[in-house]
Amino acid sequence: MRQYIILTSVLLLGISCKKWLNVTPQTQIASQDLFKTQAGFEEALNGVYTRCGQADIYGQELTCGLLDVLAQDYSLSTVNDPLSYLQSSEFNYADAYFLNRENSIWSGLYNAIVNCNLILANVDQQKALFTGNEYALVKGEALALRAYLHFDALRLFGPSYVSNSSAPAVPYVTTYSNKVTGLSSVSAVVKDVINDLLQAKTILAPADSIRNSDYIVGYPSDPNQTETTSTNLFEQNRRHRMNYYAVCGELARAYLFEGDNADALASALEVINAKKFPWTAQADFINADPTKQDLILYKELVFGWYIPWQTTALTNLFQTGASGLFLQPADAQYIYEAAGVGGEDLRYKEWMQIAVSGVVQLSKYKQNPSATANDPTANICPQVAPAIRLSEMYYIAAEASFDQDPAGALAYVNTVRAQRGIGTPLTDSTKTQFLTDLIREARKEFFGEGQIFYLYKRLNTSIVGSSGIVIAPSDKIFVLPLPVNETEFGG
């Protein structure tokens, strides 16, 4: 594939964009200048995170946009389709709006990947520039991000492992070059993802402060939290970056994808047993004071994309009634089982809000409207897009352990249910019923986060649409076509 670079210089915690640097494989003078200092490497890596947080990938489309449209999570019709998602929701992959979004997603993912490769191509030879743990953090995060981005490209544009593990899928690009990279098979991509993640895990293990006993996760205003107290800005807020536990979580995903339940369980339990990520207190979730309400369940995020620049866009996307993305009340009630156990579900009560127009709109990304950039106390936590949640680790542990320990598997799922206000436990006796209930629970938890489409696809199971309409599993809907410019140039 052809490769293009855009590096953004940004301070991820105090966040302010400083400049754009354009680099191409054919002209490496600018990149050579960038990597003459430790600060240059920091800028390059921060630029990858900023690129990933743009609307075409994790700032919208791969979090709460196109992927959840494909998962049938929004109520769309010819009458209400202001964002032109309707044809995508009907899996019309020839639609011009879909093709535009797909091309942007592909370009965004591989642009970020190439930036990771540019860093990795320079970091070892410039190791002497670094002080403290920063060499390990830069290299470990770049490797982990490269794996994360390739894995999502695979989950979008390749078949699932159970469908066709030997099928050509996507390029796994590991060098900074203008040479064409051919398509790798599904199994080969997964292997490369896992290899990069394992290498990143080894590098980050002794260096990442999030593993230290004195690293305490919390809201910025918490007096006991230590996420923002480091004198080195680059080492603050490790949960806004591909930290050690985020690597473990991504490994759990990759192992489960290829059917390696033992390693998936071990990786998920490493996150769970670290006890680093506390469940959000229900009082914080339901707090009536908008400056103190945690709608994103921030403490539970193992990794989240920091996206303050998307606040207005997300408000317009979800808080504008029928002019944005919404659900009909019956669809929201169906998804959250409002007539049954969902009547107790705090997610339904807090995330599904009735607009003046009568439709239901998602409030998960809602920020205090009186907030200003200069008032950090106006919101309990920053604007982020969830990437890996603690609850997902419980779901992975449940699925990976059911065959050997059904009672233990149910306990993992029931732990999440209890945290969300559902006191009635699951008591499934068969694997089929367990998976049905697990999907139902995950859909409630990950609404607006882009993960449920991947779950349907990985399990090759039916998608449940509006009011319970069932859409049969098929690679015709699960495998997005490769962009035209990619197929034209041979991968």
Side-chain angles (χ1 to χ4, degrees), residues 127-289:
K127 187 175 181 179
L129 294 173
F130 293 90
T131 59
N133 292 322
E134 288 212 22
Y135 163 77
L137 294 179
V138 168
K139 184 173 182 178
E141 288 180 35
L143 280 166
L145 284 167
R146 183 170 77 181
Y148 187 106
L149 296 162
H150 276 111
F151 188 53
D152 277 1
L154 172 66
R155 295 197 290 177
L156 287 166
F157 298 99
S160 67
Y161 204 92
V162 297
S163 173
N164 190 351
S165 64
S166 62
V170 297
Y172 203 94
V173 185
T174 59
T175 58
Y176 177 61
S177 168
N178 60 359
K179 295 180 180 179
V180 171
T181 301
L183 301 180
S184 293
S185 69
V186 173
S187 60
V189 172
V190 178
K191 180 180 179 181
D192 285 337
V193 165
I194 291 172
N195 285 341
D196 270 353
L197 290 171
L198 288 174
Q199 186 178 352
K201 183 179 178 183
T202 298
I203 293 170
L204 290 171
D208 196 342
S209 61
I210 199 170
R211 301 186 71 216
N212 298 343
S213 59
D214 59 355
Y215 190 101
I216 300 173
V217 166
Y219 304 120
S221 60
D222 286 351
N224 295 323
Q225 66 86 17
T226 62
E227 296 199 274
T228 61
T229 57
S230 174
T231 56
N232 184 347
L233 186 64
F234 190 71
E235 294 192 34
Q236 291 184 12
N237 280 335
R238 294 297 301 151
R239 293 187 304 128
H240 295 173
R241 312 179 74 94
M242 279 295 293
N243 63 77
Y244 175 86
Y245 293 111
V247 172
C248 294
E250 190 69 1
L251 273 168
R253 284 177 175 173
Y255 283 131
L256 195 67
F257 182 89
E258 68 170 2
D260 182 350
N261 287 341
D263 283 326
L265 177 61
S267 295
L269 287 179
E270 186 164 2
V271 179
I272 293 170
N273 293 337
K275 301 186 184 304
K276 184 67 64 172
F277 312 97
W279 294 107
T280 298
Q282 292 185 2
D284 291 330
F285 193 11
I286 67 175
N287 201 307
D289 183 344

Side-chain angles (χ1 to χ4, degrees), residues 438-457:
L438 180 64
I439 292 169
R440 184 181 294 117
E441 290 302 312
R443 189 179 192 185
K444 300 171 189 175
E445 181 77 358
F446 301 139
F447 195 98
E449 296 186 16
Q451 293 300 322
I452 193 64
F453 179 76
Y454 294 142
L455 180 57
Y456 287 135
K457 179 175 179 175

Side-chain angles (χ1 to χ4, degrees), residues 18-206:
K18 292 159 60 181
K19 61 183 178 180
W20 290 90
L21 174 63
N22 294 310
V23 196
T24 68
Q26 291 81 10
T27 308
Q28 300 196 22
I29 296 175
S31 65
Q32 291 169 0
D33 290 340
L34 182 68
F35 297 124
K36 287 181 177 179
T37 65
Q38 177 174 293
F41 279 93
E42 293 175 0
E43 291 186 7
L45 184 59
N46 288 342
V48 178
Y49 287 102
T50 305
R51 180 64 189 89
C52 289
Q54 300 306 306
D56 57 346
I57 39 181
Y58 299 106
Q60 179 174 315
E61 297 298 354
L62 296 187
T63 301
C64 54
L66 179 63
L67 281 186
D68 275 11
V69 167
L70 296 177
Q72 309 298 301
D73 274 355
Y74 305 120
S75 303
L76 300 171
S77 70
T78 54
V79 176
N80 291 305
D81 185 29
L83 302 172
S84 302
Y85 277 118
L86 178 59
Q87 291 299 312
S88 295
S89 74
E90 296 176 350
F91 309 106
N92 177 7
Y93 294 153
D95 173 63
Y97 291 104
F98 169 81
L99 292 172
N100 182 61
R101 287 188 169 102
E102 178 199 50
N103 287 335
S104 295
I105 290 168
W106 177 275
S107 297
L109 290 173
Y110 277 98
N111 175 263
I113 287 168
V114 172
N115 281 313
C116 291
N117 286 333
L118 180 60
I119 293 168
L120 292 168
N122 287 273
V123 68
D124 285 340
Q125 65 193 48
Q126 299 285 32
K127 187 175 181 179
L129 294 173
F130 293 90
T131 59
N133 292 322
E134 288 212 22
Y135 163 77
L137 294 179
V138 168
K139 184 173 182 178
E141 288 180 35
L143 280 166
L145 284 167
R146 183 170 77 181
Y148 187 106
L149 296 162
H150 276 111
F151 188 53
D152 277 1
L154 172 66
R155 295 197 290 177
L156 287 166
F157 298 99
S160 67
Y161 204 92
V162 297
S163 173
N164 190 351
S165 64
S166 62
V170 297
Y172 203 94
V173 185
T174 59
T175 58
Y176 177 61
S177 168
N178 60 359
K179 295 180 180 179
V180 171
T181 301
L183 301 180
S184 293
S185 69
V186 173
S187 60
V189 172
V190 178
K191 180 180 179 181
D192 285 337
V193 165
I194 291 172
N195 285 341
D196 270 353
L197 290 171
L198 288 174
Q199 186 178 352
K201 183 179 178 183
T202 298
I203 293 170
L204 290 171

Side-chain angles (χ1 to χ4, degrees), residues 287-422:
N287 201 307
D289 183 344
T291 69
K292 298 177 180 179
Q293 185 178 26
D294 178 10
L295 288 168
I296 207 69
L297 306 174
Y298 182 68
K299 290 183 179 181
E300 303 172 22
L301 294 181
V302 180
F303 170 42
W305 303 103
Y306 183 72
I307 54 168
W309 50 82
Q310 284 296 107
T311 297
T312 299
L314 291 172
T315 298
N316 292 337
L317 191 66
F318 292 114
Q319 301 298 310
T320 51
S323 297
L325 291 174
F326 63 88
L327 299 87
Q328 294 295 345
D331 293 333
Q333 291 163 10
Y334 174 83
I335 291 171
Y336 283 92
E337 301 179 283
V341 295
E344 311 168 43
D345 197 327
L346 298 177
R347 294 166 299 191
Y348 178 68
K349 295 176 180 178
E350 300 302 323
W351 288 344
M352 300 288 114
Q353 300 296 307
I354 301 292
V356 174
S357 59
V359 301
V360 177
Q361 52 192 25
L362 180 68
S363 67
K364 180 180 284 188
Y365 295 99
K366 186 177 181 180
Q367 293 267 290
N368 177 13
S370 65
T372 65
N374 297 320
D375 183 8
T377 65
N379 287 293
I380 193 171
C381 60
Q383 185 82 71
V384 292
I388 301 176
R389 284 193 177 277
L390 176 66
S391 54
E392 184 182 359
M393 298 301 100
Y394 277 79
Y395 293 151
I396 289 176
E399 184 181 342
S401 65
F402 186 88
D403 290 337
Q404 303 300 321
D405 183 12
L410 287 170
Y412 287 126
V413 181
N414 287 329
T415 295
V416 182
R417 281 165 65 93
Q419 291 296 329
R420 304 305 182 233
I422 301 177

